[in-house]
Amino acid sequence: MQRCFNINTRDIPKEQPLSNWGGTWGSIVSSYVYMKGLRLLRWSGSVLSPHTGPCCFTHKYQYPYRAQSFNLLRLQSSAAVPIRTISELEDDIEPQDPTDYTHLPSPPPSSAHSSARLSALHARLVLPPRLPLQTLARCLVDHSADTNSDFNNASLSILGYDLLGYYTSEAILCRYPRLPTEVTFAAMYAYCGPKTLAAMTREWGVEVAASPGGEVDPGFLQCFRQEAGNASVNGTGIQFKDRPKVAQDFSTRPNPEQQIRGWRRGASSKTVYDDYFGDEIKRNATDYAERPELRAEEPQRKAEGGVTLEQASTGFVRALMGAVYLHAGKKAAYNFFKAHILSRHLDVSKLFEFRKPTMDLSRLCAREGFESPVARILGETGRESRHPVFVVGVFAGKDKLGEGSGSSLDEARVRAAVGALKGWYLYSPLEVRVPSEATVGKPWKPLLVDGGEVVV
């Protein structure tokens, strides 16, 4: 190979300078340099022609530096090489490690593929293959850890909150169309409330990072935790729970002054103004834009800082629901909801709490056109003993509405009335089909819509 480049200089006419041989000599030298891998930045332009010089310059630390165009033109010309080249200038500056993520508030998306925790969580939850690991890692970043909406789960959590509320409400109302409003709110909270979603996060094996940062494994749930109530405020000895409170949020209702007067919130108003659980909706950016006077409370509100572990876990599950819907579609999101939310057992009959069951039953029978309920003794034992038992049934005409037993006649009558009310409110059709299951070939058929609970 080297013998191919043995050039006899005696064949070159002495009266001609070497620079005139730039075309032939430059091509031969450039081929030889390519074979040998030599660096030609210090070579004179009189040897290399402008067409054979390097067209670009890339340093091994290419992130913090850029190649200078004027230096490249100087190197390709016939003038002398500059006193100090780019490589010499860069050697004086210690380059930064491009893999140093300690200055980032959350792990970069590129680190998701190297996380074993994240891959294990993806497989453990049997998530759709179309859901990338980068999105799953974003679901684990709370807004308190990273305020950038492009990297936290705030937007996905809003979508997941609406999807969970929609799927849960239609499942409850279609299965139990006569449930009272308060019981419906309680069932919604039991299925997809904050405590339930926080328990699901622990069941899934998701651990919380001690402190968020770019160097943390993306498989950890990252958030800034709220300080405990008995913790000291900046070492002053004042506990967090003893600080002066900001003005209480009166939600987004049009008449917040009513709560100052002690007015109660009715069940019908909760369905209009409150959230899926009957709780007041907190203020958001839109509310502050409409009411600028609320900005005065914002500095003290931000001083509290941090979120609870329950809030961070709730945001993660909601964000994951929204991510599955965006990447895999409606069917995959509904299957995820049925597998993790709707599959949890809930005894709805234990959510009832009647204050005056006999009166409620009388009003219900009057509204539905039934005969007035009458209590009758069906059986008894040990009337004269220390532990008697009475069995009482409630009848409307010839139809028995409910039955109950107790140690006294009044207790048995009340339990019979409660049983009759539960039998009415817990009615469920034989075939339950929710609106989200409707397709083009099989449209959804409307179900029973009850008039609501009895108002005493």
Side-chain angles (χ1 to χ4, degrees):
M1 183 69 68
Q2 296 179 357
R3 287 180 295 179
C4 297
F5 292 93
N6 292 334
I7 303 173
N8 190 0
T9 57
R10 293 177 296 178
D11 298 336
I12 302 177
K14 297 182 180 299
E15 61 274 7
Q16 296 183 6
L18 190 62
S19 60
N20 294 339
W21 285 66
T24 305
W25 178 258
S27 60
I28 295 175
V29 172
S30 61
S31 302
Y32 178 74
V33 168
Y34 176 78
M35 301 294 295
K36 287 295 186 179
L38 298 180
R39 191 173 185 177
L40 303 179
L41 293 180
R42 298 180 181 271
W43 286 36
S44 174
S46 60
V47 179
L48 293 177
S49 64
H51 301 286
T52 59
C55 60
C56 61
F57 179 76
T58 304
H59 196 270
K60 62 179 179 179
Y61 300 106
Q62 57 182 351
Y63 294 99
Y65 306 103
R66 290 186 178 180
Q68 302 294 334
S69 58
F70 71 92
N71 285 336
L72 297 181
L73 294 177
R74 291 287 299 273
L75 291 176
Q76 294 177 1
S77 64
S78 59
V81 182
I83 299 176
R84 301 187 69 186
T85 59
I86 299 177
S87 59
E88 293 176 351
L89 292 174
E90 292 174 348
D91 292 339
D92 297 342
I93 304 175
E94 183 179 356
Q96 298 179 358
D97 187 3
T99 60
D100 184 15
Y101 302 135
T102 56
H103 62 284
L104 298 178
S106 61
S110 58
S111 62
H113 289 286
S114 59
S115 173
R117 290 178 177 272
L118 209 59
S119 301
L121 180 62
H122 194 285
R124 188 184 306 123
L125 300 182
V126 197
L127 296 177
R130 286 185 289 179
L131 179 64
L133 292 178
Q134 293 88 340
T135 305
L136 180 59
R138 179 181 176 182
C139 295
L140 289 166
V141 179
D142 189 75
H143 64 88
S144 61
D146 193 344
T147 57
N148 192 339
S149 59
D150 295 334
F151 297 96
N152 60 27
N153 60 5
S155 56
L156 294 174
S157 179
I158 295 175
L159 176 60
Y161 169 77
D162 293 334
L163 289 173
L164 287 176
Y166 170 66
Y167 288 146
T168 307
S169 59
E170 71 172 3
I172 294 175
L173 294 178
C174 290
R175 182 173 296 277
Y176 303 106
R178 292 176 177 172
L179 276 184
T181 305
E182 295 293 343
V183 179
T184 303
F185 285 146
M188 290 281 297
Y189 190 88
Y191 271 116
C192 58
K195 294 186 181 299
T196 303
L197 300 185
M200 290 174 53
T201 305
R202 294 191 298 268
E203 294 171 0
W204 290 348
V206 178
E207 300 181 6
V208 185
S211 179
E215 74 283 0
V216 181
D217 192 309
F220 285 100
L221 178 61
Q222 304 195 44
C223 63
F224 276 114
R225 297 194 188 185
Q226 190 177 23
E227 293 289 345
N230 56 355
S232 177
V233 180
N234 299 327
T236 58
I238 302 176
Q239 296 183 350
F240 277 90
K241 62 182 179 181
D242 297 334
R243 292 182 305 170
K245 302 296 184 181
V246 297
Q248 184 181 2
D249 281 340
F250 294 110
S251 73
T252 56
R253 288 172 169 264
N255 47 1
E257 68 280 355
Q258 293 182 358
Q259 299 186 37
I260 303 178
R261 303 173 185 174
W263 295 6
R264 70 177 182 87
R265 294 180 296 125
S268 58
S269 66
K270 292 181 180 180
T271 60
V272 178
Y273 298 114
D274 296 340
D275 60 6
Y276 293 114
F277 316 119
D279 299 330
E280 300 177 38
I281 301 177
K282 302 298 181 181
R283 293 170 181 166
N284 51 26
T286 305
D287 303 323
Y288 286 110
E290 296 176 352
R291 300 175 60 187
E293 66 275 7
L294 301 178
R295 288 292 182 184
E297 307 172 3
E298 195 64 13
Q300 186 174 357
R301 194 178 306 278
K302 288 184 177 180
E304 298 178 358
V307 295
T308 62
L309 183 57
E310 180 180 299
Q311 293 173 344
S313 302
T314 301
F316 159 64
V317 179
R318 291 173 178 173
L320 183 57
M321 181 69 185
V324 172
Y325 180 84
L326 289 178
H327 286 275
K330 182 177 69 173
K331 185 176 181 181
Y334 188 70
N335 292 335
F336 179 83
F337 167 77
K338 290 195 301 182
H340 297 280
I341 304 294
L342 202 59
S343 61
R344 308 177 72 89
H345 175 70
L346 175 63
D347 191 359
V348 184
S349 62
K350 295 183 179 180
L351 301 178
F352 287 87
E353 183 179 356
F354 299 99
R355 297 181 180 179
K356 299 180 180 179
T358 55
M359 186 179 296
D360 292 346
L361 183 59
S362 300
R363 293 292 181 87
L364 178 62
C365 292
R367 190 190 72 178
E368 298 298 329
F370 301 152
E371 297 183 11
S372 298
V374 177
R376 301 174 185 173
I377 299 179
L378 300 180
E380 63 176 281
T381 179
R383 178 185 287 263
E384 302 298 335
S385 64
R386 294 183 58 184
H387 303 286
V389 177
F390 299 93
V391 180
V392 177
V394 178
F395 293 83
K398 296 183 179 180
D399 299 327
K400 186 172 73 171
L401 304 180
E403 180 179 334
S405 61
S407 58
S408 63
L409 290 175
D410 289 339
E411 181 182 358
R413 180 169 58 88
V414 169
R415 290 186 176 181
V418 169
L421 291 173
K422 287 184 178 181
W424 173 265
Y425 288 129
L426 292 177
Y427 160 78
S428 179
L430 297 178
E431 182 180 357
V432 179
R433 192 161 177 265
V434 296
S436 60
E437 295 180 350
T439 58
V440 178
K442 191 176 182 182
W444 180 72
K445 295 181 180 180
L447 298 176
L448 171 68
V449 177
D450 191 70
E453 66 271 20
V454 177
V455 179
V456 179

